[in-house]
Amino acid sequence: MTNRITKLFNIKYPIIQAGMIWNSGWQLASAASNSGILGLIGAGSMYPEVLREHIQKCKKATDKPFGVNVPMLYPNIQEVMDIIVEEEVKIVFTSAGNPKTWTSWLQEHGITVVHVVSSVKFALKAQDAGVDAVVAEGFEAGGHNGRDETTTLTLIPMVKEHIKIPLIAAGGIATGRAMLATMVLGADGVQVGSRFVASEESSAHINFKQVVVDAKEGDTQLTLKELAPVRLIKNKFFNEIQELYKTAPNPEQLKTLLGRARSKKGMFEGDLDNGELEIGQISGLIHDIKPVSQIVEAMMREFEEAKKEVLDF
């Protein structure tokens, strides 16, 4: 299929594999790109030179387009951006920051820029900053999230009503049916995260992948809004947060409990008790660990089948 997203990224299908920390290394990104979608390396969990290594390995593993996701709240941001330019990465997804800060600079170096937002307000700011497209991410999504708790079902048509640039839907999308639904609502493509966590090529620890597969409805919840809202699987650490909330903690107390490297401990090292286990609500529909190629194939097959069903309705 051909539309604004496939043309923008020169890909076969309008699907983006999300750049998730501790999950999205070069193996996942290259497998995604080789499957006809856009693969993203998640720079948020990488020191600059580690990112360089992943970019170089990704270039060797695929001749298809791929990009890098850069959360702008992380340190060493200038070094990260310099490496992206030096390694001739052509697509960057930015998040967690002001898109005006880097958009023009990246575009001057021939890079396509996409910014992740969680509201109409920030979608308009991203468009005004000159980004080439936006990802509108609903409340269902895993990891860090918007404070407004706007669901994908309502966010996508509201953003579509106000912007002219290409729109990518994210949050609660792991199937071809969900992909079709968001595109009917106005999205030009979709960004998929949680489904690719449970892939063979994901860099997540097998313990975490299995927890995702075993997750049921209601097993995740958004928390830590006073710091940076994050959707987590309910585990020992999550329960400790809830107990602390009973004492009406201030942000410093929450930071003390959070400590350092919680997400690495949970998702990358497989500590299911003491780590952050970030995943979306859609985990309740993920039942197996598959190669990326099979995930993409199944999504597109279901998308086409669902489209025919709607036309026959």
Side-chain angles (χ1 to χ4, degrees):
M1 62 184 298
T2 301
N3 70 3
R4 294 205 292 176
I5 292 300
T6 59
K7 290 178 181 177
L8 181 63
F9 301 129
N10 191 26
I11 54 179
K12 186 176 181 181
Y13 307 122
I15 302 173
I16 291 85
Q17 163 256 307
M20 306 162 286
I21 63 168
W22 302 115
N23 295 278
S24 307
W26 69 270
Q27 290 168 306
L28 177 57
S30 61
S33 292
N34 285 333
S35 298
I37 68 175
L38 182 67
L40 295 180
I41 296 171
S45 53
M46 299 177 184
Y47 290 114
E49 285 307 316
V50 174
L51 173 61
R52 188 190 297 276
E53 178 184 347
H54 277 258
I55 292 171
Q56 291 176 348
K57 287 182 176 179
C58 197
K59 286 194 286 189
K60 291 179 180 178
T62 184
D63 60 357
K64 303 293 193 300
F66 71 91
V68 175
N69 173 266
V70 183
M72 294 188 286
L73 53 76
Y74 286 92
N76 305 317
I77 187 71
Q78 180 68 62
E79 191 176 356
V80 165
M81 294 302 192
D82 287 341
I83 286 171
I84 285 170
V85 170
E86 290 166 11
E87 294 297 331
E88 299 181 336
V89 174
K90 296 302 181 186
I91 301 165
V92 169
F93 280 49
T94 56
S95 59
N98 187 344
K100 285 187 178 180
T101 309
W102 289 101
T103 297
S104 295
W105 186 86
L106 288 167
Q107 290 173 335
E108 287 168 5
H109 288 86
I111 296 171
T112 298
V113 181
V114 182
H115 192 66
V116 182
V117 302
S118 59
S119 68
V120 173
K121 173 184 175 182
F122 290 116
L124 286 169
K125 285 188 174 183
Q127 180 172 259
D128 290 343
V131 300
D132 297 286
V134 294
V135 175
E137 185 174 78
F139 169 72
E140 301 93 325
H144 292 288
N145 215 316
R147 285 185 167 83
D148 296 332
E149 301 190 6
T150 307
T151 65
T152 304
L153 189 68
T154 53
L155 179 62
I156 297 306
M158 286 193 293
V159 172
K160 181 66 175 180
E161 189 177 47
H162 288 88
I163 68 169
K164 294 181 172 60
I165 58 177
L167 171 60
I168 300 163
I173 303 166
T175 65
R177 290 182 180 276
M179 176 180 170
L180 178 61
T182 57
M183 293 181 75
V184 168
L185 289 172
D188 299 291
V190 295
Q191 178 172 282
V192 177
S194 297
R195 173 66 268 200
F196 289 120
V197 169
S199 68
E200 291 183 1
E201 296 88 346
S202 163
S203 50
H205 195 283
I206 185 60
N207 291 353
F208 178 48
K209 294 182 187 182
Q210 192 59 49
V211 166
V212 172
V213 169
D214 294 339
K216 302 293 188 296
E217 178 190 2
D219 283 353
T220 74
Q221 188 170 319
L222 199 69
T223 189
L224 294 174
K225 288 187 179 181
E226 296 82 354
L227 303 181
V230 62
R231 181 172 295 282
L232 302 176
I233 287 179
K234 297 172 183 176
N235 65 346
K236 178 174 175 288
F237 170 59
F238 177 87
N239 291 335
E240 289 172 357
I241 297 172
Q242 301 311 108
E243 286 300 312
L244 182 57
Y245 270 122
K246 293 178 181 178
T247 70
N250 60 42
E252 286 306 315
Q253 289 172 300
L254 290 169
K255 287 179 183 178
T256 299
L257 176 61
L258 180 61
R260 291 179 58 83
R262 283 278 189 180
S263 58
K264 179 182 181 182
K265 186 187 295 289
M267 296 185 284
F268 192 67
E269 297 177 352
D271 186 338
L272 303 183
D273 290 327
N274 302 302
E276 274 192 22
L277 306 178
E278 303 178 12
I279 205 71
Q281 287 181 328
I282 199 64
S283 53
L285 272 179
I286 299 171
H287 306 306
D288 49 25
I289 300 168
K290 290 181 176 180
V292 167
S293 60
Q294 291 184 21
I295 293 171
V296 173
E297 181 182 354
M299 277 193 69
M300 290 309 303
R301 182 172 61 249
E302 186 176 285
F303 175 85
E304 293 299 336
E305 290 171 354
K307 191 163 62 171
K308 290 178 182 177
E309 289 176 12
V310 170
L311 291 174
D312 290 340
F313 183 69

